[in-house]
Amino acid sequence: MTQGKDLTVILAAPRGFCAGVQRAISIVETTLEKYGAPVYVRHEIVHNKFVVDSLRAKGAIFVKELDEVPSGAHVVFSAHGVPKVIPQAAIAANLDFLDATCPLVSKVHREVEQHHAAGRTVLLVGHRGHPEVIGTMGQVPEGSVILIETDDDARTVVIEDPENLAYATQTTLSVDEVKDILAILKARFPHIQGPRKEDICYATTNRQAAVKAIAAQADAIIIIGAPNSSNSNRLVEAALAAGCPKATLCQRATDIDWAWLESVNRLGVSAGASAPEVLVEELINTLQQRFNVTLQEVKVIDEDVVFHIPAKLRKA
């Protein structure tokens, strides 16, 4: 039963799961169906507690490192990608592994390898400690990639051979943030080589565009996503940068700060690429219990990207 004031909820679209996340989750689920529990997963398959808990309930066991996995077991690598030493270690430990790395992250891996093979130093624009960055830097020998996190890094980085230089980017960054950093690098190093097609993934770009499209219409925006989800945090930043007075990250409806919503009449809602739509529905249902909710949706683009699971699982 609705009560209280009227609240317009503006849903950004697209939102939630991207093709890479859907593929990674399907790999774990299909591996469980084919081989039975347990199936081990190195690190969180995607950065979302609800998803991880759901897979754990089906028989997935999440581990930090491969030495926690018994010999002969089935193990899945997360969507964020892993350094080359991880598959090598899995083979040495007699583990049957499946790689759930997002194909768009794998694209960045191959770019970095190709630049290294051509004798170029690679500048990787990304966030230190993020699993995707660790995996990308781990495709080539240590010291071959220099991490660029900020504008200041771009302004001060010292390159021994600026004629043999390339860049790549983490796939889940803010489009605007990367644009500024790349502008600095290209001004300093006119011969720097980049990808033929930008590294920031379509889903990150589309979700940021959708949030920007609703920012000016909303008194506040809630982004459903995990605190350790890069693309979800970037959506909060995009909302604020596009003019929304306030925006916050919320893992699920139970985490809502109701005092934060007191002066809000028009609430924007989106979800990071690793957040399932069921959590958006949960949020709306919870809001409907307190407010007279009117729903609107603002769609900036239709998405039809699909990434298939590995062939040996499709045969199941």
Side-chain angles (χ1 to χ4, degrees):
M1 181 177 180
T2 57
Q3 58 182 349
K5 68 177 183 181
D6 294 339
L7 179 69
T8 299
V9 175
I10 310 167
L11 296 169
R15 61 182 175 273
F17 277 177
C18 63
V21 164
Q22 189 64 65
R23 174 181 179 271
I25 294 168
S26 296
I27 287 173
V28 177
E29 291 176 335
T30 309
T31 304
L32 283 164
E33 290 169 9
K34 183 173 183 179
Y35 301 109
V39 167
Y40 293 82
V41 183
R42 183 184 179 274
H43 296 178
E44 291 186 341
I45 187 68
V46 297
H47 284 158
N48 187 272
K49 184 179 184 298
F50 179 87
V51 170
V52 169
D53 288 346
S54 298
L55 293 173
R56 187 180 284 118
K58 295 177 181 180
I61 297 176
F62 292 86
V63 299
K64 289 185 177 180
E65 296 301 341
L66 295 182
D67 58 12
E68 302 173 58
V69 182
S71 179
H74 302 282
V75 62
V76 179
F77 303 149
S78 82
H80 308 103
V82 296
K84 276 191 171 179
V85 295
I86 300 302
Q88 294 166 359
I91 293 170
N94 190 33
L95 302 178
D96 182 8
F97 69 88
L98 289 119
D99 190 352
T101 300
C102 172
L104 298 178
V105 175
S106 295
K107 164 188 170 288
V108 178
H109 289 183
R110 302 294 80 77
E111 289 168 359
V112 170
E113 284 184 312
Q114 289 163 8
H115 287 310
H116 176 69
R120 302 183 189 104
T121 299
V122 179
L123 303 181
L124 177 63
V125 182
H127 294 142
R128 189 178 306 279
H130 189 279
E132 183 184 329
V133 167
I134 293 170
T136 299
M137 295 181 78
Q139 300 305 304
V140 292
E142 189 173 352
S144 304
V145 177
I146 300 172
L147 184 63
I148 303 293
E149 293 190 274
T150 65
D151 290 5
D152 282 344
D153 289 344
R155 293 189 190 99
T156 59
V157 64
V158 177
I159 304 299
E160 290 184 8
D161 185 3
E163 299 298 311
N164 286 298
L165 185 63
Y167 73 85
T169 71
Q170 184 179 331
T171 63
T172 54
L173 298 180
S174 159
V175 176
D176 295 330
E177 175 187 18
V178 170
K179 181 172 62 178
D180 293 341
I181 290 175
L182 293 184
I184 294 168
L185 291 176
K186 289 175 181 177
R188 288 191 64 202
F189 308 111
H191 299 290
I192 193 170
Q193 296 196 28
R196 292 187 182 89
K197 184 178 180 184
E198 70 172 25
D199 291 333
I200 296 177
C201 84
Y202 77 94
T204 298
T205 301
N206 291 346
R207 278 148 192 72
Q208 289 177 20
V211 164
K212 290 176 183 178
I214 68 170
Q217 307 174 39
D219 302 321
I221 290 179
I222 289 177
I223 304 297
I224 298 292
N228 60 340
S229 166
S230 175
N231 77 85
S232 299
N233 280 290
R234 302 295 81 74
L235 290 177
V236 174
E237 295 170 0
L240 295 171
C244 186
K246 57 182 184 177
T248 190
L249 192 65
C250 184
Q251 291 206 69
R252 57 187 308 179
T254 50
D255 300 324
I256 293 175
D257 178 358
W258 295 108
W260 189 81
L261 285 174
E262 278 184 7
S263 60
V264 174
N265 297 308
R266 295 177 63 81
L267 177 66
V269 173
S270 188
S274 49
E277 181 67 11
V278 65
L279 295 185
V280 176
E281 294 168 356
E282 177 189 73
L283 174 64
I284 293 169
N285 290 337
T286 302
L287 292 170
Q288 288 172 332
Q289 292 170 20
R290 287 179 172 254
F291 306 108
N292 299 309
V293 173
T294 300
L295 288 176
Q296 298 177 1
E297 185 174 65
V298 175
K299 180 180 287 189
V300 299
I301 193 170
D302 289 310
E303 289 182 348
D304 57 3
V305 178
V306 176
F307 294 138
H308 297 293
I309 63 176
K312 76 174 185 178
L313 291 180
R314 293 203 299 272
K315 292 174 184 175

mmCIF file of all heavy atoms in Angstrom, residues 120-156:
data_model
loop_
_atom_site.group_PDB
_atom_site.id
_atom_site.type_symbol
_atom_site.label_atom_id
_atom_site.label_comp_id
_atom_site.label_asym_id
_atom_site.label_seq_id
_atom_site.Cartn_x
_atom_site.Cartn_y
_atom_site.Cartn_z
ATOM 1 N N ARG A 120 57.349 -1.414 -27.800
ATOM 2 C CA ARG A 120 56.815 -0.171 -27.256
ATOM 3 C C ARG A 120 56.605 -0.272 -25.740
ATOM 4 O O ARG A 120 56.189 -1.309 -25.241
ATOM 5 C CB ARG A 120 55.482 0.184 -27.917
ATOM 6 C CG ARG A 120 55.554 0.326 -29.435
ATOM 7 C CD ARG A 120 54.217 0.748 -30.023
ATOM 8 N NE ARG A 120 54.280 0.650 -31.487
ATOM 9 C CZ ARG A 120 53.725 -0.330 -32.189
ATOM 10 N NH1 ARG A 120 53.024 -1.283 -31.591
ATOM 11 N NH2 ARG A 120 53.856 -0.364 -33.496
ATOM 12 N N THR A 121 56.841 0.832 -25.051
ATOM 13 C CA THR A 121 56.396 0.962 -23.665
ATOM 14 C C THR A 121 54.896 1.238 -23.694
ATOM 15 O O THR A 121 54.409 1.994 -24.532
ATOM 16 C CB THR A 121 57.120 2.122 -22.960
ATOM 17 O OG1 THR A 121 58.520 1.853 -22.958
ATOM 18 C CG2 THR A 121 56.636 2.290 -21.533
ATOM 19 N N VAL A 122 54.144 0.619 -22.769
ATOM 20 C CA VAL A 122 52.693 0.809 -22.729
ATOM 21 C C VAL A 122 52.313 1.604 -21.487
ATOM 22 O O VAL A 122 52.726 1.270 -20.372
ATOM 23 C CB VAL A 122 51.951 -0.540 -22.734
ATOM 24 C CG1 VAL A 122 50.441 -0.311 -22.657
ATOM 25 C CG2 VAL A 122 52.298 -1.338 -23.985
ATOM 26 N N LEU A 123 51.527 2.650 -21.679
ATOM 27 C CA LEU A 123 50.919 3.385 -20.582
ATOM 28 C C LEU A 123 49.488 2.871 -20.416
ATOM 29 O O LEU A 123 48.706 2.912 -21.371
ATOM 30 C CB LEU A 123 50.900 4.889 -20.869
ATOM 31 C CG LEU A 123 52.261 5.541 -21.167
ATOM 32 C CD1 LEU A 123 52.085 7.036 -21.408
ATOM 33 C CD2 LEU A 123 53.233 5.299 -20.024
ATOM 34 N N LEU A 124 49.173 2.354 -19.256
ATOM 35 C CA LEU A 124 47.829 1.837 -18.991
ATOM 36 C C LEU A 124 47.087 2.821 -18.101
ATOM 37 O O LEU A 124 47.484 3.071 -16.965
ATOM 38 C CB LEU A 124 47.903 0.465 -18.319
ATOM 39 C CG LEU A 124 46.557 -0.142 -17.917
ATOM 40 C CD1 LEU A 124 45.679 -0.404 -19.146
ATOM 41 C CD2 LEU A 124 46.749 -1.420 -17.108
ATOM 42 N N VAL A 125 46.017 3.393 -18.617
ATOM 43 C CA VAL A 125 45.187 4.301 -17.832
ATOM 44 C C VAL A 125 44.203 3.458 -17.029
ATOM 45 O O VAL A 125 43.381 2.729 -17.594
ATOM 46 C CB VAL A 125 44.437 5.292 -18.745
ATOM 47 C CG1 VAL A 125 43.621 6.271 -17.901
ATOM 48 C CG2 VAL A 125 45.411 6.049 -19.639
ATOM 49 N N GLY A 126 44.311 3.538 -15.705
ATOM 50 C CA GLY A 126 43.454 2.700 -14.870
ATOM 51 C C GLY A 126 43.670 2.975 -13.402
ATOM 52 O O GLY A 126 44.391 3.901 -13.021
ATOM 53 N N HIS A 127 43.041 2.154 -12.570
ATOM 54 C CA HIS A 127 43.089 2.325 -11.117
ATOM 55 C C HIS A 127 43.934 1.229 -10.488
ATOM 56 O O HIS A 127 43.657 0.031 -10.672
ATOM 57 C CB HIS A 127 41.676 2.314 -10.536
ATOM 58 C CG HIS A 127 40.852 3.479 -10.969
ATOM 59 N ND1 HIS A 127 39.507 3.381 -11.257
ATOM 60 C CD2 HIS A 127 41.176 4.778 -11.195
ATOM 61 C CE1 HIS A 127 39.040 4.564 -11.625
ATOM 62 N NE2 HIS A 127 40.039 5.427 -11.592
ATOM 63 N N ARG A 128 44.944 1.640 -9.755
ATOM 64 C CA ARG A 128 45.865 0.701 -9.115
ATOM 65 C C ARG A 128 45.105 -0.274 -8.199
ATOM 66 O O ARG A 128 44.241 0.123 -7.429
ATOM 67 C CB ARG A 128 46.898 1.471 -8.290
ATOM 68 C CG ARG A 128 48.038 0.603 -7.743
ATOM 69 C CD ARG A 128 49.044 1.449 -6.978
ATOM 70 N NE ARG A 128 49.541 2.564 -7.776
ATOM 71 C CZ ARG A 128 50.513 2.451 -8.682
ATOM 72 N NH1 ARG A 128 51.097 1.275 -8.893
ATOM 73 N NH2 ARG A 128 50.907 3.514 -9.366
ATOM 74 N N GLY A 129 45.454 -1.547 -8.306
ATOM 75 C CA GLY A 129 44.858 -2.555 -7.442
ATOM 76 C C GLY A 129 43.580 -3.161 -7.973
ATOM 77 O O GLY A 129 43.116 -4.179 -7.442
ATOM 78 N N HIS A 130 42.971 -2.571 -9.011
ATOM 79 C CA HIS A 130 41.756 -3.162 -9.573
ATOM 80 C C HIS A 130 42.133 -4.467 -10.278
ATOM 81 O O HIS A 130 43.152 -4.536 -10.974
ATOM 82 C CB HIS A 130 41.093 -2.197 -10.561
ATOM 83 C CG HIS A 130 39.736 -2.642 -11.007
ATOM 84 N ND1 HIS A 130 39.550 -3.581 -11.994
ATOM 85 C CD2 HIS A 130 38.487 -2.302 -10.582
ATOM 86 C CE1 HIS A 130 38.253 -3.785 -12.173
ATOM 87 N NE2 HIS A 130 37.587 -3.015 -11.323
ATOM 88 N N PRO A 131 41.322 -5.525 -10.118
ATOM 89 C CA PRO A 131 41.664 -6.817 -10.732
ATOM 90 C C PRO A 131 41.920 -6.741 -12.234
ATOM 91 O O PRO A 131 42.791 -7.441 -12.754
ATOM 92 C CB PRO A 131 40.444 -7.691 -10.431
ATOM 93 C CG PRO A 131 39.844 -7.091 -9.216
ATOM 94 C CD PRO A 131 40.087 -5.612 -9.309
ATOM 95 N N GLU A 132 41.157 -5.893 -12.943
ATOM 96 C CA GLU A 132 41.366 -5.779 -14.390
ATOM 97 C C GLU A 132 42.747 -5.207 -14.705
ATOM 98 O O GLU A 132 43.430 -5.663 -15.631
ATOM 99 C CB GLU A 132 40.282 -4.908 -15.023
ATOM 100 C CG GLU A 132 40.425 -4.821 -16.540
ATOM 101 C CD GLU A 132 39.432 -3.883 -17.184
ATOM 102 O OE1 GLU A 132 38.307 -3.739 -16.662
ATOM 103 O OE2 GLU A 132 39.792 -3.280 -18.216
ATOM 104 N N VAL A 133 43.167 -4.212 -13.935
ATOM 105 C CA VAL A 133 44.478 -3.606 -14.143
ATOM 106 C C VAL A 133 45.587 -4.607 -13.825
ATOM 107 O O VAL A 133 46.573 -4.730 -14.572
ATOM 108 C CB VAL A 133 44.619 -2.332 -13.279
ATOM 109 C CG1 VAL A 133 46.062 -1.854 -13.231
ATOM 110 C CG2 VAL A 133 43.718 -1.228 -13.830
ATOM 111 N N ILE A 134 45.433 -5.355 -12.733
ATOM 112 C CA ILE A 134 46.414 -6.381 -12.369
ATOM 113 C C ILE A 134 46.526 -7.421 -13.487
ATOM 114 O O ILE A 134 47.626 -7.826 -13.880
ATOM 115 C CB ILE A 134 46.020 -7.052 -11.039
ATOM 116 C CG1 ILE A 134 46.128 -6.036 -9.887
ATOM 117 C CG2 ILE A 134 46.906 -8.267 -10.759
ATOM 118 C CD1 ILE A 134 45.532 -6.525 -8.583
ATOM 119 N N GLY A 135 45.382 -7.834 -14.028
ATOM 120 C CA GLY A 135 45.382 -8.822 -15.104
ATOM 121 C C GLY A 135 46.020 -8.306 -16.374
ATOM 122 O O GLY A 135 46.795 -9.009 -17.026
ATOM 123 N N THR A 136 45.713 -7.055 -16.731
ATOM 124 C CA THR A 136 46.262 -6.478 -17.962
ATOM 125 C C THR A 136 47.772 -6.298 -17.855
ATOM 126 O O THR A 136 48.524 -6.641 -18.778
ATOM 127 C CB THR A 136 45.580 -5.129 -18.270
ATOM 128 O OG1 THR A 136 44.175 -5.354 -18.465
ATOM 129 C CG2 THR A 136 46.160 -4.503 -19.514
ATOM 130 N N MET A 137 48.236 -5.767 -16.723
ATOM 131 C CA MET A 137 49.676 -5.567 -16.550
ATOM 132 C C MET A 137 50.411 -6.903 -16.486
ATOM 133 O O MET A 137 51.601 -6.983 -16.811
ATOM 134 C CB MET A 137 49.940 -4.737 -15.292
ATOM 135 C CG MET A 137 49.390 -3.317 -15.386
ATOM 136 S SD MET A 137 49.712 -2.279 -13.933
ATOM 137 C CE MET A 137 51.436 -1.854 -14.213
ATOM 138 N N GLY A 138 49.695 -7.950 -16.096
ATOM 139 C CA GLY A 138 50.294 -9.273 -15.987
ATOM 140 C C GLY A 138 50.377 -10.051 -17.284
ATOM 141 O O GLY A 138 50.762 -11.225 -17.283
ATOM 142 N N GLN A 139 50.035 -9.422 -18.407
ATOM 143 C CA GLN A 139 50.151 -10.090 -19.704
ATOM 144 C C GLN A 139 51.566 -10.016 -20.258
ATOM 145 O O GLN A 139 51.922 -10.764 -21.173
ATOM 146 C CB GLN A 139 49.172 -9.477 -20.714
ATOM 147 C CG GLN A 139 47.713 -9.570 -20.314
ATOM 148 C CD GLN A 139 47.273 -10.981 -20.017
ATOM 149 O OE1 GLN A 139 47.408 -11.892 -20.847
ATOM 150 N NE2 GLN A 139 46.730 -11.191 -18.821
ATOM 151 N N VAL A 140 52.366 -9.097 -19.728
ATOM 152 C CA VAL A 140 53.722 -8.871 -20.234
ATOM 153 C C VAL A 140 54.681 -8.793 -19.047
ATOM 154 O O VAL A 140 54.248 -8.657 -17.895
ATOM 155 C CB VAL A 140 53.788 -7.576 -21.072
ATOM 156 C CG1 VAL A 140 52.996 -7.725 -22.376
ATOM 157 C CG2 VAL A 140 53.258 -6.381 -20.277
ATOM 158 N N PRO A 141 55.989 -8.882 -19.286
ATOM 159 C CA PRO A 141 56.939 -8.855 -18.172
ATOM 160 C C PRO A 141 56.806 -7.601 -17.308
ATOM 161 O O PRO A 141 56.458 -6.517 -17.797
ATOM 162 C CB PRO A 141 58.302 -8.888 -18.880
ATOM 163 C CG PRO A 141 58.030 -9.566 -20.188
ATOM 164 C CD PRO A 141 56.665 -9.117 -20.582
ATOM 165 N N GLU A 142 57.077 -7.755 -16.035
ATOM 166 C CA GLU A 142 56.989 -6.648 -15.090
ATOM 167 C C GLU A 142 57.875 -5.492 -15.546
ATOM 168 O O GLU A 142 59.005 -5.682 -15.981
ATOM 169 C CB GLU A 142 57.416 -7.116 -13.697
ATOM 170 C CG GLU A 142 57.163 -6.090 -12.603
ATOM 171 C CD GLU A 142 57.437 -6.636 -11.213
ATOM 172 O OE1 GLU A 142 57.686 -7.855 -11.091
ATOM 173 O OE2 GLU A 142 57.418 -5.840 -10.256
ATOM 174 N N GLY A 143 57.321 -4.280 -15.460
ATOM 175 C CA GLY A 143 58.056 -3.093 -15.875
ATOM 176 C C GLY A 143 57.766 -2.665 -17.303
ATOM 177 O O GLY A 143 58.168 -1.575 -17.715
ATOM 178 N N SER A 144 57.053 -3.509 -18.052
ATOM 179 C CA SER A 144 56.735 -3.181 -19.448
ATOM 180 C C SER A 144 55.558 -2.221 -19.565
ATOM 181 O O SER A 144 55.359 -1.595 -20.608
ATOM 182 C CB SER A 144 56.400 -4.457 -20.230
ATOM 183 O OG SER A 144 57.445 -5.394 -20.149
ATOM 184 N N VAL A 145 54.754 -2.137 -18.500
ATOM 185 C CA VAL A 145 53.566 -1.280 -18.506
ATOM 186 C C VAL A 145 53.676 -0.281 -17.364
ATOM 187 O O VAL A 145 54.027 -0.649 -16.234
ATOM 188 C CB VAL A 145 52.275 -2.124 -18.341
ATOM 189 C CG1 VAL A 145 51.051 -1.216 -18.271
ATOM 190 C CG2 VAL A 145 52.136 -3.116 -19.492
ATOM 191 N N ILE A 146 53.382 0.972 -17.643
ATOM 192 C CA ILE A 146 53.380 2.031 -16.628
ATOM 193 C C ILE A 146 51.939 2.461 -16.394
ATOM 194 O O ILE A 146 51.220 2.798 -17.341
ATOM 195 C CB ILE A 146 54.224 3.236 -17.079
ATOM 196 C CG1 ILE A 146 55.681 2.819 -17.322
ATOM 197 C CG2 ILE A 146 54.149 4.365 -16.052
ATOM 198 C CD1 ILE A 146 56.521 3.916 -17.947
ATOM 199 N N LEU A 147 51.518 2.428 -15.125
ATOM 200 C CA LEU A 147 50.140 2.779 -14.795
ATOM 201 C C LEU A 147 49.983 4.295 -14.683
ATOM 202 O O LEU A 147 50.772 4.968 -14.026
ATOM 203 C CB LEU A 147 49.735 2.116 -13.476
ATOM 204 C CG LEU A 147 48.278 2.302 -13.040
ATOM 205 C CD1 LEU A 147 47.329 1.672 -14.056
ATOM 206 C CD2 LEU A 147 48.054 1.704 -11.648
ATOM 207 N N ILE A 148 48.941 4.808 -15.339
ATOM 208 C CA ILE A 148 48.593 6.231 -15.287
ATOM 209 C C ILE A 148 47.214 6.340 -14.636
ATOM 210 O O ILE A 148 46.222 5.888 -15.196
ATOM 211 C CB ILE A 148 48.555 6.866 -16.694
ATOM 212 C CG1 ILE A 148 49.904 6.680 -17.408
ATOM 213 C CG2 ILE A 148 48.163 8.334 -16.618
ATOM 214 C CD1 ILE A 148 51.046 7.446 -16.797
ATOM 215 N N GLU A 149 47.158 6.935 -13.445
ATOM 216 C CA GLU A 149 45.885 7.037 -12.730
ATOM 217 C C GLU A 149 45.257 8.423 -12.806
ATOM 218 O O GLU A 149 44.037 8.559 -12.727
ATOM 219 C CB GLU A 149 46.084 6.676 -11.261
ATOM 220 C CG GLU A 149 46.439 5.224 -10.998
ATOM 221 C CD GLU A 149 46.378 4.905 -9.514
ATOM 222 O OE1 GLU A 149 47.390 5.122 -8.819
ATOM 223 O OE2 GLU A 149 45.315 4.452 -9.056
ATOM 224 N N THR A 150 46.072 9.451 -12.930
ATOM 225 C CA THR A 150 45.568 10.825 -12.814
ATOM 226 C C THR A 150 46.140 11.725 -13.907
ATOM 227 O O THR A 150 47.092 11.364 -14.609
ATOM 228 C CB THR A 150 45.971 11.422 -11.458
ATOM 229 O OG1 THR A 150 47.410 11.532 -11.406
ATOM 230 C CG2 THR A 150 45.494 10.561 -10.297
ATOM 231 N N ASP A 151 45.567 12.929 -14.002
ATOM 232 C CA ASP A 151 46.113 13.941 -14.917
ATOM 233 C C ASP A 151 47.572 14.239 -14.571
ATOM 234 O O ASP A 151 48.409 14.414 -15.468
ATOM 235 C CB ASP A 151 45.293 15.229 -14.816
ATOM 236 C CG ASP A 151 43.898 15.094 -15.401
ATOM 237 O OD1 ASP A 151 43.529 13.960 -15.797
ATOM 238 O OD2 ASP A 151 43.173 16.095 -15.457
ATOM 239 N N ASP A 152 47.864 14.306 -13.276
ATOM 240 C CA ASP A 152 49.239 14.592 -12.860
ATOM 241 C C ASP A 152 50.198 13.496 -13.314
ATOM 242 O O ASP A 152 51.331 13.780 -13.728
ATOM 243 C CB ASP A 152 49.317 14.750 -11.339
ATOM 244 C CG ASP A 152 48.818 16.116 -10.871
ATOM 245 O OD1 ASP A 152 48.711 17.023 -11.724
ATOM 246 O OD2 ASP A 152 48.528 16.256 -9.671
ATOM 247 N N ASP A 153 49.757 12.245 -13.230
ATOM 248 C CA ASP A 153 50.590 11.149 -13.730
ATOM 249 C C ASP A 153 50.899 11.353 -15.207
ATOM 250 O O ASP A 153 52.028 11.144 -15.659
ATOM 251 C CB ASP A 153 49.878 9.804 -13.543
ATOM 252 C CG ASP A 153 49.793 9.373 -12.086
ATOM 253 O OD1 ASP A 153 50.531 9.927 -11.257
ATOM 254 O OD2 ASP A 153 48.980 8.476 -11.796
ATOM 255 N N ALA A 154 49.875 11.745 -15.957
ATOM 256 C CA ALA A 154 50.049 11.952 -17.400
ATOM 257 C C ALA A 154 51.017 13.101 -17.678
ATOM 258 O O ALA A 154 51.798 13.053 -18.631
ATOM 259 C CB ALA A 154 48.700 12.220 -18.057
ATOM 260 N N ARG A 155 50.981 14.119 -16.834
ATOM 261 C CA ARG A 155 51.850 15.280 -17.036
ATOM 262 C C ARG A 155 53.302 15.013 -16.659
ATOM 263 O O ARG A 155 54.219 15.638 -17.197
ATOM 264 C CB ARG A 155 51.348 16.469 -16.210
ATOM 265 C CG ARG A 155 50.023 17.044 -16.653
ATOM 266 C CD ARG A 155 49.716 18.344 -15.922
ATOM 267 N NE ARG A 155 48.338 18.757 -16.181
ATOM 268 C CZ ARG A 155 47.324 18.533 -15.342
ATOM 269 N NH1 ARG A 155 47.543 17.910 -14.195
ATOM 270 N NH2 ARG A 155 46.108 18.934 -15.646
ATOM 271 N N THR A 156 53.524 14.087 -15.717
ATOM 272 C CA THR A 156 54.868 13.927 -15.152
ATOM 273 C C THR A 156 55.574 12.626 -15.520
ATOM 274 O O THR A 156 56.763 12.487 -15.240
ATOM 275 C CB THR A 156 54.797 14.020 -13.619
ATOM 276 O OG1 THR A 156 53.916 12.991 -13.115
ATOM 277 C CG2 THR A 156 54.279 15.379 -13.177
#
